């Protein structure tokens, strides 16, 4: 079975053919600023693949809260024109093929569970450390969306009396705090270098970041007891990240002495292709193919 898989992003839309676990014929175009052009570009890509290959469906990764029952992409994203109407039916009418749509973070989680760092596991937490904290909760190999489609929105968790996980658990907010304290204008990579070189303020801010990520992982692990926790987002590829989080987890374990197990954490395997691959997993689950 061959699928056309599409990853709708805020700045570009990527696409590829997916067959036997492999991506091929990959391409991309700039994300249009209006719905008509959006439809025109996507329809042209679909027609191209229908003429030149045996694609039997279209798997889509999208921003926003995808309501798979109504076909509506709820919530908000950088593409306001894709929200709050039955876009799923519109896609199937225009493409003439079965279409599946799933949230982009959920697609990345499905890619890791099916083919990547969590392969062989069925109950997995996928934590995305980006501008905010997002993620997915996979149960029995499938996404848990929740009643209000907020399953995996870990960034809403309150970490102290006033700060959320997205406030304390991202490198973006870490850099903001450091620059406010020092009147400098450094990015997160520079601040991490300073921290490892012994700069006290940089080290304090890095510790706030890593401790709160560990705290979030600990609380989620003892709430849902997954087989493993996968960390995604740009910082996940830093070699020091997992050891630093494990150090912070050990501090928490030393405090909560009745906690019997250390959460198993690992970095995601797929990077830019995760959403394309995961969308195909969702297609197969949706249509049971």
């Amino acid at each position: 079975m061959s699928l056309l898989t599409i990853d709708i992003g805020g700045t570009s839309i990527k696409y590829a053919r997916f067959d036997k676990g492999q991506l091929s014929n990959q391409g991309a175009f700039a994300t249009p600023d209006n719905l008509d052009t959006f439809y025109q570009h996507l329809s042209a890509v679909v027609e191209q693949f229908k003429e030149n290959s045996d694609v039997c469906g279209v798997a889509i990764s999208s921003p926003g809260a995808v309501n798979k029952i109504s076909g509506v992409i709820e919530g908000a994203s950088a593409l306001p024109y894709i929200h709050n109407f039955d876009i799923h039916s519109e896609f199937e009418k225009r493409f003439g093929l079965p279409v599946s749509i799933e949230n982009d973070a959920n697609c990345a989680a499905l890619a890791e569970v099916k083919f990547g760092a969590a392969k062989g596991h069925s109950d997995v937490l996928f934590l995305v450390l980006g501008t905010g904290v997002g993620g997915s909760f996979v149960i029995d190999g499938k996404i848990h969306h929740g009643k209000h489609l907020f399953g995996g929105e870990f960034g809403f968790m309150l970490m102290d009396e006033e700060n959320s996980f997205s406030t304390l658990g991202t490198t973006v907010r870490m850099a903001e705090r450091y620059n406010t304290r020092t009147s400098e204008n450094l990015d997160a990579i520079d601040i991490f270098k300073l921290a490892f070189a012994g700069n006290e303020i940089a080290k304090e801010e890095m510790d706030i970041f890593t401790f709160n990520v560990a705290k979030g992982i600990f609380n989620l692990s003892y709430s849902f007891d997954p087989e493993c926790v996968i960390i995604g987002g740009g910082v996940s590829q830093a070699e020091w990240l997992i050891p630093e989080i494990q150090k912070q987890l050990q501090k928490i374990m030393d405090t909560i002495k009745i906690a019997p197990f250390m959460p198993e954490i690992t970095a995601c395997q797929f990077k830019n292709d995760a959403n394309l691959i995961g969308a195909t997993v969702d297609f197969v689950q949706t249509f049971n193919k």
Side-chain angles (χ1 to χ4, degrees):
M1 181 183 66
S2 173
L3 293 171
L4 169 60
T5 179
I6 295 172
D7 177 20
I8 300 172
T11 57
S12 68
I13 296 177
K14 297 183 288 186
Y15 56 88
R17 179 175 179 267
F18 183 86
D19 187 29
K20 298 178 181 176
Q22 300 293 324
L23 297 173
S24 62
N25 303 95
Q26 291 183 249
F29 57 87
T31 303
D33 62 3
N34 64 84
L35 184 59
D36 287 342
T37 308
F38 174 79
Y39 282 145
Q40 291 170 11
H41 284 24
L42 286 180
S43 296
V45 169
V46 173
E47 288 306 312
Q48 172 193 333
F49 276 75
K50 287 170 71 174
E51 291 176 4
N52 300 321
S53 65
D54 57 347
V55 294
C56 65
V58 181
I60 295 177
S61 164
S62 170
V66 178
N67 188 324
K68 296 178 79 67
I69 297 174
S70 67
V72 174
I73 301 175
E74 301 177 10
S77 74
L79 288 74
Y81 55 76
I82 67 173
H83 293 275
N84 301 319
F85 67 98
D86 184 2
I87 196 169
H88 179 266
S89 296
E90 190 66 29
F91 279 149
E92 289 200 324
K93 182 176 71 176
R94 289 173 180 268
F95 299 162
L97 289 170
V99 173
S100 66
I101 311 174
E102 180 55 281
N103 167 265
D104 44 16
N106 290 343
C107 286
L110 289 173
E112 295 295 339
V113 171
K114 182 67 176 179
F115 301 107
K119 184 177 181 180
H121 297 310
S122 57
D123 295 343
V124 174
L125 283 174
F126 182 66
L127 197 64
V128 181
L129 306 178
T131 305
V133 176
S136 301
F137 188 27
V138 179
I139 304 174
D140 292 333
K142 297 182 178 179
I143 297 296
H144 174 71
H145 294 95
K147 179 180 179 180
H148 304 96
L149 304 178
F150 271 64
E153 295 293 347
F154 306 130
F156 284 84
M157 290 168 52
L158 197 60
M159 306 302 282
D160 57 26
E161 292 185 351
E162 58 183 14
N163 292 298
S164 70
F165 199 177
S166 284
T167 301
L168 298 176
T170 73
T171 59
V172 174
R173 300 304 291 270
M174 178 199 72
E176 289 177 357
R177 290 192 301 272
Y178 175 88
N179 290 328
T180 298
R181 292 177 66 181
T182 62
S183 299
E184 296 181 66
N185 186 27
L186 302 182
D187 62 21
I189 294 175
D190 290 332
I191 295 167
F192 289 135
K193 288 178 181 177
L194 286 176
F196 285 116
N199 181 290
E200 287 298 325
I201 296 177
K203 184 67 169 59
E204 288 176 11
E205 293 299 338
M206 178 176 166
D207 284 346
I208 291 172
F209 163 66
T210 55
F211 175 76
N212 279 281
V213 172
K215 184 178 179 181
I217 289 172
F218 179 87
N219 289 342
L220 289 167
S221 295
Y222 276 89
S223 298
F224 299 102
D225 197 10
E227 294 170 272
C228 65
V229 178
I230 306 298
I231 300 178
V235 71
S236 69
Q237 300 306 306
E239 293 183 356
W240 54 263
L241 181 68
I242 301 296
E244 288 295 325
I245 293 174
Q246 288 172 329
K247 288 180 187 176
Q248 301 287 10
L249 276 170
Q250 187 58 59
K251 293 179 184 176
I252 296 171
M253 299 284 291
D254 291 342
T255 301
I256 312 297
K257 296 185 183 300
I258 60 172
F261 67 87
M262 173 73 81
E264 180 181 335
I265 57 175
T266 189
C268 67
Q269 177 177 325
F270 298 113
K271 301 176 185 175
N272 293 332
D273 291 337
N275 296 352
L276 289 172
I277 295 170
T280 69
V281 179
D282 174 64
F283 183 95
V284 172
Q285 290 184 350
T286 300
F287 293 100
N288 195 27
K289 291 190 175 183

